[in-house]
Amino acid sequence: MYNIKGIDKVFGYVTVAKNQLTEEEYNIFTAYYCGLCKATGRYASELSRLGLSYDITFLAIVLSSVSSDCSEIGSERCIVHPVKKRDCIKNNPAVDYAAAMGVLLNYLKLADDWHDDRSIKALLAMAMLFPGYRKIRKRYMPQLMMIKKQLGILSGLERSGCSSVDETADAFAKILRALFTPDFIEDDGDRRALAWFGYNLGRWIYIIDAFNDLERDLKSGAYNPFAAGGCRDKASCAADIELSLTFTLENIASAFELTGFKQNKTIIGKMVYTTLKQKQKMILSGMEKDIKRGRLGRRKEAS
């Protein structure tokens, strides 16, 4: 299998900072989060909604804001908020698509946990997700096959002790490139911009994850592309990594500017220009030691 970590989140590096958004913008973001939560429940089960992440919400809001489909907002109660109704995005293809991708990714992570660790928790969660996964894989077989292919490539590179972070990051980045270009985005210009957006976001996530894990991987002997390339501590390679990460963020920003957003551009822009930069600064400075949320694409065992 692919040695995918965790069962609760998909990535964990794309977040939202409430203090950076206006009240109206934050309410819109949470409406997408709640809509995605509801859609995930419909696809799989109520408990599967616990695997929801801000990363998948970001995918939903980006694709929804490019699509010509209008967003319908309704107010509903849920298990977490049983008394007060909360706004949620309804009947939105981008939200439904993101929910489906979230279920696929979470199921693959759980299957890997069971294969590698014989985790009973993972096996039980797989049973919970399987009906939704079975339904989704029929509809999104091309995406599922692409994810499996790229994870297989990445796993092979990591098993071989690949010392090129560009090569391993490329294998992971291609997953997000594909996820950001679903069929319902029909405009060729937007598809090209979103492909570049997703690719560079995936590259940024993989590299910053590798840097964040470096000290722990050095101690445990687990694979890390920077350790494989000769880096023995964060301080000695931080400057080069910061340069690479900043360049990648600039590519994300360029793709953002080329994308024809029809709504929510300010919200997405704040996350691109401010939130990701702040996350990068915190990790590079050591202020945030470990934000593991079960992301795809990193080995947890020594090669």
Side-chain angles (χ1 to χ4, degrees), residues 37-53:
C37 185
K38 291 282 188 181
T40 302
R42 290 196 302 273
Y43 269 120
S45 68
E46 292 299 312
L47 290 177
S48 67
R49 293 157 66 179
L50 297 174
L52 186 62
S53 72

Side-chain angles (χ1 to χ4, degrees), residues 28-293:
I28 291 172
F29 186 88
T30 56
Y32 274 95
Y33 187 89
C34 292
L36 186 60
C37 185
K38 291 282 188 181
T40 302
R42 290 196 302 273
Y43 269 120
S45 68
E46 292 299 312
L47 290 177
S48 67
R49 293 157 66 179
L50 297 174
L52 186 62
S53 72
Y54 283 145
D55 309 87
I56 295 298
T57 308
F58 186 64
L59 174 65
I61 195 171
V62 167
L63 296 181
S64 174
S65 300
V66 175
S67 173
S68 58
D69 296 299
C70 295
S71 296
E72 177 185 340
I73 300 180
S75 295
E76 297 184 13
R77 294 185 178 89
C78 68
I79 296 174
V80 179
H81 303 96
V83 178
K84 185 178 179 180
K85 290 185 177 181
R86 296 172 65 90
D87 289 344
C88 65
I89 302 296
K90 302 173 64 176
N91 302 320
N92 185 292
V95 172
D96 290 343
Y97 168 81
M101 295 303 101
V103 172
L104 287 182
L105 293 168
N106 273 303
Y107 188 86
L108 289 175
K109 292 192 290 90
L110 293 166
D112 196 75
D113 285 345
W114 167 246
H115 180 270
D116 293 335
D117 302 330
R118 287 298 184 261
S119 168
I120 298 301
K121 183 187 294 186
L123 183 62
L124 293 174
M126 284 173 62
M128 174 189 71
L129 278 179
F130 184 73
Y133 171 78
R134 181 173 55 185
K135 178 171 63 176
I136 290 166
R137 72 181 179 186
K138 292 179 180 179
R139 181 176 178 182
Y140 294 104
M141 185 57 71
Q143 287 86 351
L144 177 60
M145 296 306 295
M146 174 278 305
I147 294 169
K148 287 185 173 182
K149 175 185 175 182
Q150 290 306 124
L151 289 176
I153 292 171
L154 179 57
S155 182
L157 289 170
E158 295 188 341
R159 284 198 305 270
S160 71
C162 179
S163 61
S164 170
V165 69
D166 288 331
E167 193 171 354
T168 51
D170 174 76
F172 181 75
K174 287 176 179 176
I175 295 175
L176 265 70
R177 182 180 68 183
L179 295 187
F180 271 80
T181 52
D183 292 341
F184 59 82
I185 304 296
E186 298 178 349
D187 182 86
D188 288 339
D190 285 336
R191 289 185 64 84
R192 287 193 295 271
L194 287 171
W196 191 232
F197 189 106
Y199 178 89
N200 281 282
L201 181 61
R203 172 184 163 83
W204 182 84
I205 288 170
Y206 186 88
I207 293 174
I208 204 166
D209 176 49
F211 179 81
N212 196 38
D213 281 353
L214 180 58
E215 291 178 346
R216 184 170 61 185
D217 289 343
L218 285 169
K219 290 179 181 178
S220 67
Y223 171 81
N224 186 291
F226 297 118
C231 182
R232 289 295 171 259
D233 60 79
K234 287 185 175 181
S236 65
C237 54
D240 289 339
I241 294 171
E242 182 176 14
L243 183 64
S244 179
L245 287 170
T246 300
F247 174 76
T248 306
L249 283 181
E250 290 174 354
N251 285 338
I252 295 172
S254 296
F256 166 80
E257 296 296 343
L258 291 171
T259 304
F261 292 106
K262 298 176 176 62
Q263 57 183 333
N264 303 319
K265 185 172 182 178
T266 302
I267 299 173
I268 299 166
K270 288 179 179 179
M271 296 182 71
V272 167
Y273 285 105
T274 305
T275 309
L276 292 180
K277 287 183 178 180
Q278 287 186 352
K279 181 69 68 176
Q280 176 177 307
K281 182 178 180 180
M282 291 178 69
I283 292 172
L284 289 174
S285 67
M287 294 173 62
E288 192 161 359
K289 294 292 186 181
D290 186 9
I291 57 169
K292 284 300 180 189
R293 294 294 185 270

